[in-house]
Amino acid sequence: MHRSAPRLSRILACAAVPVMLVAVGCSSDSGSDGKKNAGSSSSGTASSKPSEPTVEPAKFTDLPDPCTSIGKKTIEDLVPEAKKKGGTAGGSTDLSVRGSCSWNGLDDQGVKGSQYHWMDVGFTRFDSDQALGSGAKRATEDYGKQVTKTKATEGAKKAAAEPAAGIGEEATLVTYGLSKTDEDFVYATVVARTGNVVVTLTYNGAGYAGAKTPSSGDIVKGAQKAIKEAIASVEKTAGADASSPAKDDAKTDAEDTKKDDADAKGDAGSEDSPKSKATPKS
């Protein structure tokens, strides 16, 4: 009996050791997972970045046909006897982004010589881009480049530039002279911007066989008249950014209401009513 007691104590002591190790192991694993979870949460919060503001949508999503952007009557007045009254379209891989058209003609005035005129109109449209900026911003930058390029025309004489009021959102008129084919040409180039579209129009003229050189004033007036029509055609383009569907619905509802009111007034003032009968004029 005295021998078995110490032996039993040793067995119980050995049996207790694994239980303690398991408890310690569980405690250690739990603490490790907690640190990992805390680290992941902290890392996730630190890596999140605020979203970049979106750029303003482009106002115009299409361009007009350059060769029909200027009225036929204007073409007849500014380029008499044009070889192609419908104009000659310039090459373009995408007419919704870039397009141009030109006209030229020699008006024979008999013994008074001949008057030669040439006109060209070009459109460039810029889309809004998250990295490059809004279409209007990009168009403004190109507008400045085109003005600088025009003022630096090779061989230009007495080049002068000035703001052109009442044309698009901003416009610049550049006038200069050029000598070609032994004749003096008078030039007027107007560079204008409306929304995200840049319009450049050049108009020039010269007198042949003894005819007088066109006056700078007439050339300038012609260029300004033509580019105003070209810009108007851009603003009438179906691709212009119209109102939202919600606004369209509201507009339709308002028009329906207005129509209903008009119908009601019409019923009240029918031909049977004395007030509705017009008094004949003598």
Side-chain angles (χ1 to χ4, degrees), residues 40-127:
S40 298
S41 176
S42 174
S43 175
T45 302
S47 62
S48 63
K49 296 180 179 179
S51 59
E52 296 181 3
T54 56
V55 297
E56 177 187 6
K59 182 178 181 180
F60 299 104
T61 58
D62 200 1
L63 289 175
D65 179 349
C67 291
T68 60
S69 65
I70 300 172
K72 292 182 179 180
K73 181 64 169 60
T74 300
I75 297 298
E76 291 176 359
D77 291 342
L78 301 183
V79 190
E81 303 299 326
K83 291 181 180 179
K84 292 183 65 175
K85 296 186 183 301
T88 301
S92 175
T93 56
D94 189 348
L95 290 174
S96 69
V97 174
R98 188 186 302 275
S100 65
C101 191
S102 63
W103 299 261
N104 71 86
L106 184 65
D107 183 16
D108 188 353
Q109 299 179 356
V111 296
K112 294 182 178 180
S114 301
Q115 289 287 339
Y116 175 82
H117 291 90
W118 181 87
M119 184 165 63
D120 175 90
V121 63
F123 299 90
T124 306
R125 185 181 62 81
F126 296 87
D127 285 320

Side-chain angles (χ1 to χ4, degrees), residues 203-246:
Y203 181 48
N204 67 53
Y208 278 83
K212 292 183 178 180
T213 301
S215 70
S216 178
D218 288 342
I219 294 296
V220 167
K221 288 179 182 178
Q224 292 178 330
K225 175 179 174 59
I227 197 169
K228 285 179 180 179
E229 293 184 11
I231 290 176
S233 70
V234 173
E235 296 172 348
K236 291 178 182 178
T237 300
D241 183 17
S243 57
S244 65

Side-chain angles (χ1 to χ4, degrees), residues 8-41:
L8 181 59
S9 298
R10 287 196 300 271
I11 292 173
L12 292 175
C14 291
V17 171
V19 175
M20 293 174 64
L21 292 176
V22 171
V24 171
C26 291
S27 175
S28 175
D29 290 343
S30 176
S32 176
D33 288 345
K35 290 180 180 179
K36 288 181 180 179
N37 291 338
S40 298
S41 176

Side-chain angles (χ1 to χ4, degrees), residues 125-182:
R125 185 181 62 81
F126 296 87
D127 285 320
S128 293
D129 185 279
Q130 188 67 35
L132 301 176
S134 70
K137 174 179 176 292
R138 298 177 65 197
T140 300
E141 293 172 351
D142 184 72
Y143 162 78
K145 292 178 181 179
Q146 295 304 319
V147 171
T148 300
K149 179 181 177 181
T150 302
K151 291 193 300 184
T153 298
E154 185 177 356
K157 300 176 181 179
K158 298 181 179 179
E162 60 183 86
I167 301 176
E169 294 181 35
E170 55 183 335
T172 298
L173 166 67
V174 182
T175 57
Y176 53 97
L178 275 178
S179 294
K180 300 187 298 182
T181 62
D182 297 327

